[in-house]
Amino acid sequence: MYDEQMERWKQEFRRQLDSRPSEWTIADGLSAKITPDDRMNAFYGATTVIRLAETDREAVRRLQADLMEAAPDMLVPVDPATFHLTIHALSNVYSAGPEPDDVRRSIAAHEPLVEAEFRRIRADYGGRVVRMTALGVSTSGKDVVSVKYIPESRDDFDVLTDLFDRIEAIYPLRRPYAPHVTLGYFRLRRYDAAEIERLYDAMARLSRERALGAIELPVDGLAYQLHRHMNDFRDVFTVGSL
């Protein structure tokens, strides 16, 4: 499983970087996160993430700034203070239902289960660190540009995928896991051929020239968060705080 999954992540990164669309298609649900006037839309929900350490956050911030300069007016940037690697998303309008009450009911039902699992994670992995290596910058072409990461070793892979699987068992989304740190969301408009070329050239150059190296994610820092929009994430509890 290890070798196969690592190769799938690498192949998907290469496919995304090499697949330059001739026409631009925004994801249908992106308007739930981004407003027509290029702001973060209200997007209430819950998630599980590990925030980046200060030094790692600064390296990603510099890369984000280079991307925004190279491909201006295409992205709504994520606040670097919120940079994180998602382990598993939870309740939101995509997964729980279209109404705010649907999301609130889902959060109330699942939060105690997540807390109980976090306690088991602390017992099993307290003090452990997961090291991740950057593949580079890419996009699916529909919603976000992000830095893609893979585990540095088999041990890192085992811990990371076990964390994902435990939360997936509580809140099944049945989607492949793709470790990443989001840099920005696309604006809700079409892009012309020149803009698309500029963006993909910038991603390829940054992936080639920027040696981001490894990031270190302490399991104790795994946080259950509530978010109001994609620049507003607030810890409710962490593995280390329980």
Side-chain angles (χ1 to χ4, degrees):
M1 177 180 177
Y2 168 72
D3 292 331
E4 291 84 355
Q5 182 58 68
M6 293 287 281
E7 187 57 31
R8 277 195 292 270
W9 280 329
K10 293 174 184 177
Q11 287 181 358
E12 178 61 14
F13 168 72
R14 289 192 292 266
R15 186 196 67 77
Q16 287 190 358
L17 201 56
D18 293 341
S19 300
R20 301 189 178 202
S22 57
E23 295 185 5
W24 200 258
T25 304
I26 296 295
D28 291 339
L30 186 56
S31 59
K33 294 181 177 179
I34 303 299
T35 68
D37 59 347
D38 306 327
R39 294 180 295 108
M40 295 295 182
N41 207 356
F43 188 75
Y44 181 61
T47 188
T48 56
V49 313
I50 303 180
R51 292 180 184 270
L52 298 194
E54 184 175 352
T55 53
D56 295 331
R57 188 167 62 244
E58 177 58 21
V60 175
R61 185 201 64 76
R62 290 194 299 268
L63 185 148
Q64 180 196 52
D66 287 348
L67 178 67
M68 299 295 291
E69 181 179 356
D73 303 322
M74 295 187 71
L75 298 169
V76 180
V78 170
D79 182 352
T82 72
F83 281 160
H84 60 261
L85 189 137
T86 301
I87 299 301
H88 195 288
L90 296 165
S91 310
N92 56 56
V93 294
Y94 294 162
S95 60
E99 300 300 327
D101 283 347
D102 296 330
V103 179
R104 282 190 280 269
R105 281 192 294 269
S106 181
I107 288 173
H110 292 95
E111 186 172 302
L113 303 178
V114 175
E115 180 176 350
E117 191 57 53
F118 270 33
R119 294 183 186 278
R120 288 188 283 271
I121 289 170
R122 180 173 181 173
D124 292 339
Y125 296 122
R128 291 285 296 272
V129 171
V130 177
R131 289 177 59 84
M132 306 286 290
T133 298
L135 292 174
V137 187
S138 68
T139 179
S140 67
K142 293 185 177 182
D143 50 4
V144 304
V145 175
S146 59
V147 185
K148 302 302 192 300
Y149 288 89
I150 55 172
E152 191 172 82
S153 71
R154 184 182 291 268
D155 284 345
D156 296 312
F157 173 87
D158 289 343
V159 176
L160 180 73
T161 55
D162 189 43
L163 296 179
F164 172 84
D165 289 343
R166 288 175 185 227
I167 308 303
E168 172 73 4
I170 294 170
Y171 202 90
L173 294 176
R174 299 179 180 86
R175 293 198 296 264
Y177 182 42
H180 67 277
V181 174
T182 297
L183 301 175
Y185 292 86
F186 290 115
R187 298 185 178 192
L188 300 181
R189 64 176 180 84
R190 298 185 69 83
Y191 300 111
D192 61 34
E195 289 177 306
I196 295 171
E197 284 298 305
R198 214 163 34 241
L199 173 65
Y200 277 77
D201 285 346
M203 291 190 301
R205 176 177 57 80
L206 292 170
S207 297
R208 184 175 61 251
E209 295 177 358
R210 281 298 187 92
L212 284 174
I215 58 174
E216 294 191 345
L217 305 173
V219 175
D220 288 346
L222 175 58
Y224 171 78
Q225 296 181 330
L226 299 181
H227 50 78
R228 297 181 181 179
H229 54 71
M230 293 296 96
N231 272 337
D232 187 325
F233 292 82
R234 306 185 183 195
D235 291 359
V236 178
F237 50 79
T238 68
V239 166
S241 71
L242 293 173

